Amino acid sequence: MTRDTTPDQAPGASRRAVRPPRRVLRLRRGLPLRLAAPADWAGQRPTWREASPAVIAAALKRAAARPSGNWYVLGPSAGIRPGRARGRTVAGTEVVAWRDAAGRLVAGPGACPHLGAPLRESPVHCGRLVCHWHGLSLDGRGAAGWEPYPAHDDGVLAWVRLDAAGGEEPRERPVLPARPPRAASLWAVTETEGVCEPEDVVANRLDPWHGAWFHPYSFADLTVVQAPAATADPAGPEEDRFVVRVTFKVASRGAVPVRAVFTAPEPRTVVMRIVEGEGAGSVVETHATPLGEDDRGRPRTAVTEAVLATSDRPGFALARAAAPLLRPLVRRAAARLWRDDLAYAERRWRLRSTGRFPG
């Protein structure tokens, strides 16, 4: 069962919300850009009636019921470099990660089993983590009371499995969505943190209706053409998704219209996939990792967003070749979006934690 909403059917639609078709920018034959007209933010069709709290809450509940296998995102794979350790508290568990002599990802408890020194501050020599307090050397296998955690490197993100924290039936690998081949993609990963819980981040992403209102610098002409039913019962994959027609803004006046699908394959992940238009097959993965409480007892969550863009246009090979120059731009755009969205996620948590959240 789905809810279809179009500009003609949507409650609250007005005549001034109907705009003439945008002019196509034909600087080069087949260029997918359109020339975006000056935005009339206040003249958009209101979406608050469609953005039903019951629909969002039901989608969030279904996502929370899906198994994760106790896997958590540690961060970008490229952020764990040979010769250096990386430490992070995940779900209240101190974790250290590094690469062994073969370049494989290793993860385990972040406290030295000898006297509890923080291993994240210790150097890595020839693939061995050497505690800087008394020189205990770890090669990634169990030793001296230290046992590794299962770890997975998918080439874009690094993962750790924490069975005690997750409490689910363990899985051998994380729940990974289908992606375009990494070698054929322009990919970038953005990280940020906020005072909230993972569900606040996921709920934000399961509300596509806010895009053009809250992020007018990035989105326009957003219409949710399919939304799942407001029920907590499990739904099939073709039903349990949000389908969106949206125009991505590029530079100051360029715009790219696409159709995208939002799904939540596990409790802490939301995936947006472009299914029609320029970049079909591209994905944006948003992963919410619980960290633990801050010094005021508030929950903290890390948001790790991976963008894997692809295109069948011949010129896209040039974009991949320029990836070192383009990745900072992609990360900056994602960081701007999440600066705003995380502010809302934090507010959502504050309202929930004080019994004031209206949803």
Side-chain angles (χ1 to χ4, degrees):
M1 178 178 179
T2 61
R3 296 170 61 250
D4 290 339
T5 57
T6 67
D8 294 331
Q9 298 169 320
S14 63
R15 290 185 179 274
R16 70 173 181 171
V18 179
R19 305 179 194 168
R22 296 171 184 251
R23 292 176 292 161
V24 177
L25 182 65
R26 297 191 181 279
L27 297 179
R28 183 178 300 173
R29 188 175 184 180
L31 192 67
L33 293 178
R34 292 183 178 182
L35 186 61
D40 180 11
W41 181 84
Q44 298 181 89
R45 178 178 55 80
T47 58
W48 66 272
R49 288 186 177 90
E50 300 164 46
S52 163
V55 169
I56 298 169
L60 182 64
K61 186 173 183 178
R62 289 192 299 272
R66 296 186 179 110
S68 70
N70 303 325
W71 287 96
Y72 299 84
V73 170
L74 271 174
S77 175
I80 304 175
R81 300 188 293 273
R84 296 185 62 181
R86 173 168 177 163
R88 166 166 268 179
T89 299
V90 177
T93 303
E94 189 178 6
V95 178
V96 66
W98 76 94
R99 297 196 180 276
D100 66 13
R104 290 185 294 262
L105 177 67
V106 177
C112 179
H114 176 222
L115 285 175
L119 293 175
R120 67 178 181 275
E121 299 175 3
S122 296
V124 177
H125 288 279
C126 300
R128 301 177 70 95
L129 182 66
V130 182
C131 179
H132 65 297
W133 197 241
H134 291 102
L136 177 64
S137 179
L138 301 171
D139 64 1
R141 294 174 291 185
W146 187 94
E147 291 293 333
Y149 298 133
H152 180 74
D153 185 347
D154 64 32
V156 177
L157 300 174
W159 302 72
V160 63
R161 199 182 81 195
L162 302 175
D163 294 337
E168 299 178 12
E169 184 69 24
R171 290 192 169 197
E172 186 178 353
R173 291 287 184 267
V175 179
L176 294 176
R179 295 170 170 170
R182 183 170 172 268
S185 305
L186 171 62
W187 56 272
V189 180
T190 305
E191 293 184 286
T192 187
E193 296 181 10
V195 177
C196 61
E197 294 178 332
E199 77 160 77
D200 301 299
V201 173
V202 174
N204 177 282
R205 295 296 279 165
L206 293 178
D207 169 17
W209 291 278
H210 79 274
W213 284 102
F214 201 46
H215 307 295
Y217 48 82
S218 292
F219 307 112
D221 301 332
L222 189 152
T223 301
V224 178
V225 298
Q226 177 184 316
T231 173
D233 294 333
E238 289 303 310
E239 295 182 353
D240 201 7
R241 61 181 190 166
F242 297 83
V243 182
V244 177
R245 285 200 312 266
V246 62
T247 297
F248 289 99
K249 293 185 178 180
V250 181
S252 59
R253 295 291 302 277
V256 180
V258 302
R259 179 179 288 244
V261 173
F262 289 78
T263 57
E266 57 112 292
R268 294 177 291 275
T269 299
V270 177
V271 179
M272 185 205 76
R273 182 182 311 279
I274 296 177
V275 294
E276 292 180 15
E278 178 64 18
S282 300
V283 299
V284 178
E285 300 174 10
T286 302
H287 302 274
T289 300
L291 302 179
E293 295 183 345
D294 64 11
D295 54 4
R296 295 170 57 184
R298 303 175 304 176
R300 292 196 62 83
T301 293
V303 178
T304 307
E305 187 157 280
V307 177
L308 290 94
T310 188
S311 174
D312 56 3
R313 294 182 179 274
F316 189 70
L318 297 177
R320 292 202 311 274
L325 299 175
L326 295 176
R327 282 196 186 105
L329 300 178
V330 175
R331 285 195 291 263
R332 185 166 62 185
R336 184 182 184 186
L337 286 167
W338 272 108
R339 183 175 62 246
D340 292 343
D341 274 347
L342 201 51
Y344 170 75
E346 290 181 327
R347 176 174 174 80
R348 185 182 188 275
W349 174 79
R350 288 195 301 271
L351 292 174
R352 285 195 309 107
S353 65
T354 54
R356 295 179 293 143
F357 182 62

